[in-house]
Amino acid sequence: LWLKPQVLEAQCISCGLCLEACPTSVLEMVDLPNTLRPDLADQSRLVARLKDAPNCIGCSFCQATCPVGAIEMQEGPQG
């Protein structure tokens, strides 16, 4: 089993530090509907997401770099 990043979308602050830390560029920022703030429901918000799981090496750099602890490493199958 490999460790893979799981982004806690409600905690992500869209800083992009995880993307910069990733040596294999397997993370991306995606637009999601803003369900956290009803007053901003018509606006989207950016959150980090794993886009290329097979190429993730499980280094945990993304998790270590996240200033708000929005990334957890979870076990998953290799590739």
Side-chain angles (χ1 to χ4, degrees), residues 31-68:
D31 278 317
L32 291 182
N34 194 341
T35 57
L36 301 177
R37 300 232 353 235
D39 58 321
L40 300 176
D42 60 334
Q43 299 177 24
S44 62
R45 58 187 289 273
L46 288 173
V47 296
R49 184 173 284 170
L50 181 63
K51 69 174 180 178
D52 190 9
N55 287 314
C56 177
I57 60 173
C59 66
S60 302
F61 290 169
C62 56
Q63 181 185 35
T65 305
C66 182
V68 295

PDB file of all heavy atoms in Angstrom, residues 31-68:
ATOM      1  N   ASP A  31     -12.029  24.357  -9.144  1.00  0.00           N
ATOM      2  CA  ASP A  31     -13.153  25.173  -8.694  1.00  0.00           C
ATOM      3  C   ASP A  31     -14.248  24.273  -8.147  1.00  0.00           C
ATOM      4  O   ASP A  31     -14.643  23.314  -8.813  1.00  0.00           O
ATOM      5  CB  ASP A  31     -13.753  25.972  -9.861  1.00  0.00           C
ATOM      6  CG  ASP A  31     -12.992  27.236 -10.146  1.00  0.00           C
ATOM      7  OD1 ASP A  31     -12.626  27.930  -9.182  1.00  0.00           O
ATOM      8  OD2 ASP A  31     -12.780  27.524 -11.330  1.00  0.00           O
ATOM      9  N   LEU A  32     -14.723  24.575  -6.964  1.00  0.00           N
ATOM     10  CA  LEU A  32     -15.855  23.859  -6.384  1.00  0.00           C
ATOM     11  C   LEU A  32     -16.931  24.859  -6.000  1.00  0.00           C
ATOM     12  O   LEU A  32     -16.623  26.016  -5.695  1.00  0.00           O
ATOM     13  CB  LEU A  32     -15.428  23.094  -5.123  1.00  0.00           C
ATOM     14  CG  LEU A  32     -14.507  21.912  -5.289  1.00  0.00           C
ATOM     15  CD1 LEU A  32     -14.258  21.268  -3.935  1.00  0.00           C
ATOM     16  CD2 LEU A  32     -15.080  20.884  -6.239  1.00  0.00           C
ATOM     17  N   PRO A  33     -18.177  24.439  -5.984  1.00  0.00           N
ATOM     18  CA  PRO A  33     -19.231  25.328  -5.502  1.00  0.00           C
ATOM     19  C   PRO A  33     -18.944  25.720  -4.046  1.00  0.00           C
ATOM     20  O   PRO A  33     -18.436  24.917  -3.270  1.00  0.00           O
ATOM     21  CB  PRO A  33     -20.500  24.482  -5.592  1.00  0.00           C
ATOM     22  CG  PRO A  33     -20.168  23.369  -6.519  1.00  0.00           C
ATOM     23  CD  PRO A  33     -18.693  23.147  -6.411  1.00  0.00           C
ATOM     24  N   ASN A  34     -19.226  26.945  -3.704  1.00  0.00           N
ATOM     25  CA  ASN A  34     -18.978  27.428  -2.351  1.00  0.00           C
ATOM     26  C   ASN A  34     -20.140  27.032  -1.446  1.00  0.00           C
ATOM     27  O   ASN A  34     -21.140  27.728  -1.349  1.00  0.00           O
ATOM     28  CB  ASN A  34     -18.780  28.942  -2.343  1.00  0.00           C
ATOM     29  CG  ASN A  34     -18.194  29.420  -1.042  1.00  0.00           C
ATOM     30  OD1 ASN A  34     -18.263  28.721  -0.032  1.00  0.00           O
ATOM     31  ND2 ASN A  34     -17.619  30.592  -1.062  1.00  0.00           N
ATOM     32  N   THR A  35     -19.997  25.905  -0.774  1.00  0.00           N
ATOM     33  CA  THR A  35     -21.049  25.435   0.131  1.00  0.00           C
ATOM     34  C   THR A  35     -20.757  25.834   1.574  1.00  0.00           C
ATOM     35  O   THR A  35     -21.571  25.606   2.457  1.00  0.00           O
ATOM     36  CB  THR A  35     -21.179  23.898   0.066  1.00  0.00           C
ATOM     37  OG1 THR A  35     -19.915  23.318   0.387  1.00  0.00           O
ATOM     38  CG2 THR A  35     -21.620  23.463  -1.321  1.00  0.00           C
ATOM     39  N   LEU A  36     -19.594  26.427   1.808  1.00  0.00           N
ATOM     40  CA  LEU A  36     -19.219  26.805   3.168  1.00  0.00           C
ATOM     41  C   LEU A  36     -19.825  28.131   3.597  1.00  0.00           C
ATOM     42  O   LEU A  36     -20.039  28.363   4.777  1.00  0.00           O
ATOM     43  CB  LEU A  36     -17.698  26.881   3.298  1.00  0.00           C
ATOM     44  CG  LEU A  36     -16.950  25.589   2.983  1.00  0.00           C
ATOM     45  CD1 LEU A  36     -15.455  25.819   3.067  1.00  0.00           C
ATOM     46  CD2 LEU A  36     -17.370  24.488   3.940  1.00  0.00           C
ATOM     47  N   ARG A  37     -20.087  28.993   2.620  1.00  0.00           N
ATOM     48  CA  ARG A  37     -20.648  30.308   2.933  1.00  0.00           C
ATOM     49  C   ARG A  37     -21.887  30.537   2.086  1.00  0.00           C
ATOM     50  O   ARG A  37     -21.792  30.840   0.901  1.00  0.00           O
ATOM     51  CB  ARG A  37     -19.623  31.407   2.640  1.00  0.00           C
ATOM     52  CG  ARG A  37     -18.351  31.275   3.418  1.00  0.00           C
ATOM     53  CD  ARG A  37     -17.896  32.487   4.177  1.00  0.00           C
ATOM     54  NE  ARG A  37     -18.569  33.732   4.019  1.00  0.00           N
ATOM     55  CZ  ARG A  37     -17.960  34.866   3.676  1.00  0.00           C
ATOM     56  NH1 ARG A  37     -16.672  34.876   3.420  1.00  0.00           N
ATOM     57  NH2 ARG A  37     -18.641  35.979   3.600  1.00  0.00           N
ATOM     58  N   PRO A  38     -23.069  30.409   2.678  1.00  0.00           N
ATOM     59  CA  PRO A  38     -24.308  30.596   1.913  1.00  0.00           C
ATOM     60  C   PRO A  38     -24.399  31.962   1.233  1.00  0.00           C
ATOM     61  O   PRO A  38     -24.971  32.083   0.159  1.00  0.00           O
ATOM     62  CB  PRO A  38     -25.404  30.443   2.969  1.00  0.00           C
ATOM     63  CG  PRO A  38     -24.775  29.634   4.046  1.00  0.00           C
ATOM     64  CD  PRO A  38     -23.325  30.001   4.050  1.00  0.00           C
ATOM     65  N   ASP A  39     -23.799  32.974   1.833  1.00  0.00           N
ATOM     66  CA  ASP A  39     -23.833  34.309   1.229  1.00  0.00           C
ATOM     67  C   ASP A  39     -22.976  34.398  -0.032  1.00  0.00           C
ATOM     68  O   ASP A  39     -23.110  35.333  -0.810  1.00  0.00           O
ATOM     69  CB  ASP A  39     -23.400  35.374   2.241  1.00  0.00           C
ATOM     70  CG  ASP A  39     -22.003  35.130   2.802  1.00  0.00           C
ATOM     71  OD1 ASP A  39     -21.662  33.956   3.052  1.00  0.00           O
ATOM     72  OD2 ASP A  39     -21.264  36.106   2.991  1.00  0.00           O
ATOM     73  N   LEU A  40     -22.111  33.406  -0.248  1.00  0.00           N
ATOM     74  CA  LEU A  40     -21.270  33.372  -1.446  1.00  0.00           C
ATOM     75  C   LEU A  40     -21.561  32.139  -2.304  1.00  0.00           C
ATOM     76  O   LEU A  40     -20.715  31.693  -3.065  1.00  0.00           O
ATOM     77  CB  LEU A  40     -19.789  33.374  -1.053  1.00  0.00           C
ATOM     78  CG  LEU A  40     -19.291  34.576  -0.249  1.00  0.00           C
ATOM     79  CD1 LEU A  40     -17.842  34.381   0.146  1.00  0.00           C
ATOM     80  CD2 LEU A  40     -19.471  35.864  -1.026  1.00  0.00           C
ATOM     81  N   ALA A  41     -22.763  31.621  -2.181  1.00  0.00           N
ATOM     82  CA  ALA A  41     -23.126  30.380  -2.873  1.00  0.00           C
ATOM     83  C   ALA A  41     -23.009  30.496  -4.389  1.00  0.00           C
ATOM     84  O   ALA A  41     -22.819  29.493  -5.076  1.00  0.00           O
ATOM     85  CB  ALA A  41     -24.532  29.953  -2.480  1.00  0.00           C
ATOM     86  N   ASP A  42     -23.108  31.695  -4.914  1.00  0.00           N
ATOM     87  CA  ASP A  42     -23.019  31.866  -6.367  1.00  0.00           C
ATOM     88  C   ASP A  42     -21.566  31.960  -6.848  1.00  0.00           C
ATOM     89  O   ASP A  42     -21.318  32.059  -8.037  1.00  0.00           O
ATOM     90  CB  ASP A  42     -23.789  33.110  -6.807  1.00  0.00           C
ATOM     91  CG  ASP A  42     -23.262  34.390  -6.173  1.00  0.00           C
ATOM     92  OD1 ASP A  42     -22.678  34.311  -5.073  1.00  0.00           O
ATOM     93  OD2 ASP A  42     -23.441  35.461  -6.777  1.00  0.00           O
ATOM     94  N   GLN A  43     -20.621  31.904  -5.946  1.00  0.00           N
ATOM     95  CA  GLN A  43     -19.211  31.973  -6.301  1.00  0.00           C
ATOM     96  C   GLN A  43     -18.540  30.638  -6.006  1.00  0.00           C
ATOM     97  O   GLN A  43     -18.874  29.964  -5.049  1.00  0.00           O
ATOM     98  CB  GLN A  43     -18.513  33.071  -5.503  1.00  0.00           C
ATOM     99  CG  GLN A  43     -19.073  34.440  -5.755  1.00  0.00           C
ATOM    100  CD  GLN A  43     -18.405  35.483  -4.890  1.00  0.00           C
ATOM    101  OE1 GLN A  43     -17.280  35.296  -4.437  1.00  0.00           O
ATOM    102  NE2 GLN A  43     -19.081  36.581  -4.649  1.00  0.00           N
ATOM    103  N   SER A  44     -17.583  30.268  -6.838  1.00  0.00           N
ATOM    104  CA  SER A  44     -16.850  29.031  -6.591  1.00  0.00           C
ATOM    105  C   SER A  44     -15.640  29.333  -5.717  1.00  0.00           C
ATOM    106  O   SER A  44     -15.291  30.487  -5.486  1.00  0.00           O
ATOM    107  CB  SER A  44     -16.419  28.396  -7.909  1.00  0.00           C
ATOM    108  OG  SER A  44     -15.544  29.255  -8.602  1.00  0.00           O
ATOM    109  N   ARG A  45     -15.022  28.290  -5.227  1.00  0.00           N
ATOM    110  CA  ARG A  45     -13.787  28.444  -4.463  1.00  0.00           C
ATOM    111  C   ARG A  45     -12.784  27.403  -4.939  1.00  0.00           C
ATOM    112  O   ARG A  45     -13.153  26.315  -5.361  1.00  0.00           O
ATOM    113  CB  ARG A  45     -14.036  28.330  -2.956  1.00  0.00           C
ATOM    114  CG  ARG A  45     -14.653  27.037  -2.517  1.00  0.00           C
ATOM    115  CD  ARG A  45     -15.024  27.049  -1.036  1.00  0.00           C
ATOM    116  NE  ARG A  45     -13.893  27.020  -0.139  1.00  0.00           N
ATOM    117  CZ  ARG A  45     -13.300  25.897   0.277  1.00  0.00           C
ATOM    118  NH1 ARG A  45     -13.738  24.721  -0.116  1.00  0.00           N
ATOM    119  NH2 ARG A  45     -12.290  25.939   1.091  1.00  0.00           N
ATOM    120  N   LEU A  46     -11.525  27.765  -4.906  1.00  0.00           N
ATOM    121  CA  LEU A  46     -10.466  26.854  -5.327  1.00  0.00           C
ATOM    122  C   LEU A  46     -10.034  25.964  -4.173  1.00  0.00           C
ATOM    123  O   LEU A  46      -9.880  26.433  -3.048  1.00  0.00           O
ATOM    124  CB  LEU A  46      -9.249  27.642  -5.820  1.00  0.00           C
ATOM    125  CG  LEU A  46      -9.379  28.338  -7.152  1.00  0.00           C
ATOM    126  CD1 LEU A  46      -8.157  29.215  -7.410  1.00  0.00           C
ATOM    127  CD2 LEU A  46      -9.549  27.340  -8.269  1.00  0.00           C
ATOM    128  N   VAL A  47      -9.851  24.697  -4.461  1.00  0.00           N
ATOM    129  CA  VAL A  47      -9.301  23.760  -3.489  1.00  0.00           C
ATOM    130  C   VAL A  47      -8.319  22.836  -4.206  1.00  0.00           C
ATOM    131  O   VAL A  47      -8.433  22.602  -5.409  1.00  0.00           O
ATOM    132  CB  VAL A  47     -10.382  22.905  -2.784  1.00  0.00           C
ATOM    133  CG1 VAL A  47     -11.308  23.768  -1.964  1.00  0.00           C
ATOM    134  CG2 VAL A  47     -11.146  22.067  -3.751  1.00  0.00           C
ATOM    135  N   ALA A  48      -7.367  22.330  -3.453  1.00  0.00           N
ATOM    136  CA  ALA A  48      -6.393  21.395  -4.013  1.00  0.00           C
ATOM    137  C   ALA A  48      -7.039  20.020  -4.140  1.00  0.00           C
ATOM    138  O   ALA A  48      -7.909  19.647  -3.360  1.00  0.00           O
ATOM    139  CB  ALA A  48      -5.169  21.316  -3.111  1.00  0.00           C
ATOM    140  N   ARG A  49      -6.589  19.282  -5.136  1.00  0.00           N
ATOM    141  CA  ARG A  49      -7.113  17.930  -5.344  1.00  0.00           C
ATOM    142  C   ARG A  49      -6.038  17.076  -6.022  1.00  0.00           C
ATOM    143  O   ARG A  49      -5.278  17.562  -6.855  1.00  0.00           O
ATOM    144  CB  ARG A  49      -8.361  17.984  -6.221  1.00  0.00           C
ATOM    145  CG  ARG A  49      -8.993  16.602  -6.386  1.00  0.00           C
ATOM    146  CD  ARG A  49     -10.298  16.652  -7.107  1.00  0.00           C
ATOM    147  NE  ARG A  49     -11.325  17.141  -6.199  1.00  0.00           N
ATOM    148  CZ  ARG A  49     -12.542  17.485  -6.575  1.00  0.00           C
ATOM    149  NH1 ARG A  49     -12.888  17.403  -7.837  1.00  0.00           N
ATOM    150  NH2 ARG A  49     -13.431  17.910  -5.708  1.00  0.00           N
ATOM    151  N   LEU A  50      -6.006  15.805  -5.675  1.00  0.00           N
ATOM    152  CA  LEU A  50      -5.091  14.859  -6.313  1.00  0.00           C
ATOM    153  C   LEU A  50      -5.611  14.573  -7.718  1.00  0.00           C
ATOM    154  O   LEU A  50      -6.729  14.102  -7.891  1.00  0.00           O
ATOM    155  CB  LEU A  50      -5.019  13.567  -5.492  1.00  0.00           C
ATOM    156  CG  LEU A  50      -4.093  12.476  -5.981  1.00  0.00           C
ATOM    157  CD1 LEU A  50      -2.643  12.944  -5.972  1.00  0.00           C
ATOM    158  CD2 LEU A  50      -4.246  11.233  -5.120  1.00  0.00           C
ATOM    159  N   LYS A  51      -4.795  14.869  -8.736  1.00  0.00           N
ATOM    160  CA  LYS A  51      -5.232  14.674 -10.118  1.00  0.00           C
ATOM    161  C   LYS A  51      -4.601  13.465 -10.786  1.00  0.00           C
ATOM    162  O   LYS A  51      -5.082  12.992 -11.799  1.00  0.00           O
ATOM    163  CB  LYS A  51      -4.927  15.917 -10.960  1.00  0.00           C
ATOM    164  CG  LYS A  51      -3.446  16.137 -11.184  1.00  0.00           C
ATOM    165  CD  LYS A  51      -3.160  17.271 -12.124  1.00  0.00           C
ATOM    166  CE  LYS A  51      -1.657  17.433 -12.296  1.00  0.00           C
ATOM    167  NZ  LYS A  51      -1.316  18.476 -13.239  1.00  0.00           N
ATOM    168  N   ASP A  52      -3.493  12.978 -10.224  1.00  0.00           N
ATOM    169  CA  ASP A  52      -2.727  11.928 -10.895  1.00  0.00           C
ATOM    170  C   ASP A  52      -2.202  10.916  -9.871  1.00  0.00           C
ATOM    171  O   ASP A  52      -1.005  10.805  -9.634  1.00  0.00           O
ATOM    172  CB  ASP A  52      -1.570  12.589 -11.663  1.00  0.00           C
ATOM    173  CG  ASP A  52      -0.847  11.634 -12.579  1.00  0.00           C
ATOM    174  OD1 ASP A  52      -1.317  10.493 -12.771  1.00  0.00           O
ATOM    175  OD2 ASP A  52       0.213  12.027 -13.109  1.00  0.00           O
ATOM    176  N   ALA A  53      -3.114  10.181  -9.251  1.00  0.00           N
ATOM    177  CA  ALA A  53      -2.763   9.251  -8.173  1.00  0.00           C
ATOM    178  C   ALA A  53      -1.674   8.242  -8.558  1.00  0.00           C
ATOM    179  O   ALA A  53      -0.798   7.956  -7.739  1.00  0.00           O
ATOM    180  CB  ALA A  53      -4.011   8.532  -7.673  1.00  0.00           C
ATOM    181  N   PRO A  54      -1.678   7.679  -9.760  1.00  0.00           N
ATOM    182  CA  PRO A  54      -0.648   6.690 -10.086  1.00  0.00           C
ATOM    183  C   PRO A  54       0.779   7.231 -10.014  1.00  0.00           C
ATOM    184  O   PRO A  54       1.716   6.483  -9.772  1.00  0.00           O
ATOM    185  CB  PRO A  54      -0.988   6.267 -11.519  1.00  0.00           C
ATOM    186  CG  PRO A  54      -2.441   6.540 -11.659  1.00  0.00           C
ATOM    187  CD  PRO A  54      -2.682   7.779 -10.831  1.00  0.00           C
ATOM    188  N   ASN A  55       0.944   8.541 -10.207  1.00  0.00           N
ATOM    189  CA  ASN A  55       2.289   9.117 -10.183  1.00  0.00           C
ATOM    190  C   ASN A  55       2.663   9.740  -8.843  1.00  0.00           C
ATOM    191  O   ASN A  55       3.765  10.263  -8.685  1.00  0.00           O
ATOM    192  CB  ASN A  55       2.451  10.139 -11.307  1.00  0.00           C
ATOM    193  CG  ASN A  55       2.554   9.445 -12.649  1.00  0.00           C
ATOM    194  OD1 ASN A  55       3.284   8.476 -12.806  1.00  0.00           O
ATOM    195  ND2 ASN A  55       1.798   9.919 -13.617  1.00  0.00           N
ATOM    196  N   CYS A  56       1.763   9.686  -7.879  1.00  0.00           N
ATOM    197  CA  CYS A  56       2.064  10.172  -6.531  1.00  0.00           C
ATOM    198  C   CYS A  56       3.042   9.205  -5.881  1.00  0.00           C
ATOM    199  O   CYS A  56       2.826   7.992  -5.877  1.00  0.00           O
ATOM    200  CB  CYS A  56       0.784  10.273  -5.700  1.00  0.00           C
ATOM    201  SG  CYS A  56       1.066  10.775  -3.986  1.00  0.00           S
ATOM    202  N   ILE A  57       4.129   9.731  -5.309  1.00  0.00           N
ATOM    203  CA  ILE A  57       5.140   8.876  -4.692  1.00  0.00           C
ATOM    204  C   ILE A  57       4.962   8.772  -3.174  1.00  0.00           C
ATOM    205  O   ILE A  57       5.751   8.114  -2.505  1.00  0.00           O
ATOM    206  CB  ILE A  57       6.564   9.349  -5.049  1.00  0.00           C
ATOM    207  CG1 ILE A  57       6.801  10.784  -4.573  1.00  0.00           C
ATOM    208  CG2 ILE A  57       6.811   9.200  -6.550  1.00  0.00           C
ATOM    209  CD1 ILE A  57       8.228  11.268  -4.748  1.00  0.00           C
ATOM    210  N   GLY A  58       3.945   9.431  -2.634  1.00  0.00           N
ATOM    211  CA  GLY A  58       3.651   9.313  -1.205  1.00  0.00           C
ATOM    212  C   GLY A  58       4.683   9.962  -0.301  1.00  0.00           C
ATOM    213  O   GLY A  58       4.878   9.534   0.829  1.00  0.00           O
ATOM    214  N   CYS A  59       5.334  11.008  -0.764  1.00  0.00           N
ATOM    215  CA  CYS A  59       6.413  11.638  -0.008  1.00  0.00           C
ATOM    216  C   CYS A  59       5.929  12.475   1.178  1.00  0.00           C
ATOM    217  O   CYS A  59       6.706  12.800   2.063  1.00  0.00           O
ATOM    218  CB  CYS A  59       7.274  12.498  -0.928  1.00  0.00           C
ATOM    219  SG  CYS A  59       6.406  13.937  -1.611  1.00  0.00           S
ATOM    220  N   SER A  60       4.671  12.877   1.164  1.00  0.00           N
ATOM    221  CA  SER A  60       4.055  13.695   2.222  1.00  0.00           C
ATOM    222  C   SER A  60       4.536  15.138   2.252  1.00  0.00           C
ATOM    223  O   SER A  60       4.275  15.847   3.217  1.00  0.00           O
ATOM    224  CB  SER A  60       4.255  13.073   3.609  1.00  0.00           C
ATOM    225  OG  SER A  60       3.722  11.784   3.657  1.00  0.00           O
ATOM    226  N   PHE A  61       5.239  15.595   1.234  1.00  0.00           N
ATOM    227  CA  PHE A  61       5.669  16.998   1.205  1.00  0.00           C
ATOM    228  C   PHE A  61       4.464  17.928   1.215  1.00  0.00           C
ATOM    229  O   PHE A  61       4.501  18.979   1.844  1.00  0.00           O
ATOM    230  CB  PHE A  61       6.533  17.295  -0.022  1.00  0.00           C
ATOM    231  CG  PHE A  61       7.903  16.673  -0.023  1.00  0.00           C
ATOM    232  CD1 PHE A  61       8.677  16.694  -1.164  1.00  0.00           C
ATOM    233  CD2 PHE A  61       8.422  16.067   1.107  1.00  0.00           C
ATOM    234  CE1 PHE A  61       9.946  16.128  -1.183  1.00  0.00           C
ATOM    235  CE2 PHE A  61       9.686  15.492   1.105  1.00  0.00           C
ATOM    236  CZ  PHE A  61      10.446  15.528  -0.049  1.00  0.00           C
ATOM    237  N   CYS A  62       3.408  17.553   0.515  1.00  0.00           N
ATOM    238  CA  CYS A  62       2.208  18.384   0.466  1.00  0.00           C
ATOM    239  C   CYS A  62       1.609  18.547   1.863  1.00  0.00           C
ATOM    240  O   CYS A  62       1.244  19.652   2.281  1.00  0.00           O
ATOM    241  CB  CYS A  62       1.178  17.823  -0.506  1.00  0.00           C
ATOM    242  SG  CYS A  62       0.685  16.104  -0.177  1.00  0.00           S
ATOM    243  N   GLN A  63       1.543  17.451   2.582  1.00  0.00           N
ATOM    244  CA  GLN A  63       0.992  17.474   3.934  1.00  0.00           C
ATOM    245  C   GLN A  63       1.851  18.333   4.862  1.00  0.00           C
ATOM    246  O   GLN A  63       1.337  19.138   5.639  1.00  0.00           O
ATOM    247  CB  GLN A  63       0.897  16.055   4.491  1.00  0.00           C
ATOM    248  CG  GLN A  63       0.315  15.997   5.889  1.00  0.00           C
ATOM    249  CD  GLN A  63       0.343  14.594   6.462  1.00  0.00           C
ATOM    250  OE1 GLN A  63       1.264  13.829   6.211  1.00  0.00           O
ATOM    251  NE2 GLN A  63      -0.688  14.244   7.210  1.00  0.00           N
ATOM    252  N   ALA A  64       3.152  18.180   4.770  1.00  0.00           N
ATOM    253  CA  ALA A  64       4.065  18.930   5.630  1.00  0.00           C
ATOM    254  C   ALA A  64       4.026  20.425   5.340  1.00  0.00           C
ATOM    255  O   ALA A  64       4.249  21.242   6.238  1.00  0.00           O
ATOM    256  CB  ALA A  64       5.484  18.395   5.461  1.00  0.00           C
ATOM    257  N   THR A  65       3.729  20.790   4.109  1.00  0.00           N
ATOM    258  CA  THR A  65       3.731  22.187   3.698  1.00  0.00           C
ATOM    259  C   THR A  65       2.420  22.904   3.997  1.00  0.00           C
ATOM    260  O   THR A  65       2.401  24.116   4.161  1.00  0.00           O
ATOM    261  CB  THR A  65       4.021  22.277   2.175  1.00  0.00           C
ATOM    262  OG1 THR A  65       5.234  21.596   1.912  1.00  0.00           O
ATOM    263  CG2 THR A  65       4.155  23.699   1.714  1.00  0.00           C
ATOM    264  N   CYS A  66       1.336  22.177   4.091  1.00  0.00           N
ATOM    265  CA  CYS A  66       0.020  22.801   4.275  1.00  0.00           C
ATOM    266  C   CYS A  66      -0.035  23.543   5.617  1.00  0.00           C
ATOM    267  O   CYS A  66       0.110  22.933   6.677  1.00  0.00           O
ATOM    268  CB  CYS A  66      -1.086  21.757   4.217  1.00  0.00           C
ATOM    269  SG  CYS A  66      -2.738  22.486   4.386  1.00  0.00           S
ATOM    270  N   PRO A  67      -0.283  24.866   5.584  1.00  0.00           N
ATOM    271  CA  PRO A  67      -0.271  25.644   6.819  1.00  0.00           C
ATOM    272  C   PRO A  67      -1.494  25.434   7.709  1.00  0.00           C
ATOM    273  O   PRO A  67      -1.486  25.846   8.866  1.00  0.00           O
ATOM    274  CB  PRO A  67      -0.202  27.095   6.333  1.00  0.00           C
ATOM    275  CG  PRO A  67      -0.854  27.068   4.994  1.00  0.00           C
ATOM    276  CD  PRO A  67      -0.510  25.721   4.406  1.00  0.00           C
ATOM    277  N   VAL A  68      -2.534  24.794   7.180  1.00  0.00           N
ATOM    278  CA  VAL A  68      -3.763  24.623   7.969  1.00  0.00           C
ATOM    279  C   VAL A  68      -4.112  23.152   8.203  1.00  0.00           C
ATOM    280  O   VAL A  68      -5.191  22.843   8.691  1.00  0.00           O
ATOM    281  CB  VAL A  68      -4.963  25.361   7.314  1.00  0.00           C
ATOM    282  CG1 VAL A  68      -4.730  26.864   7.320  1.00  0.00           C
ATOM    283  CG2 VAL A  68      -5.220  24.855   5.905  1.00  0.00           C
TER     284      VAL A  68
END
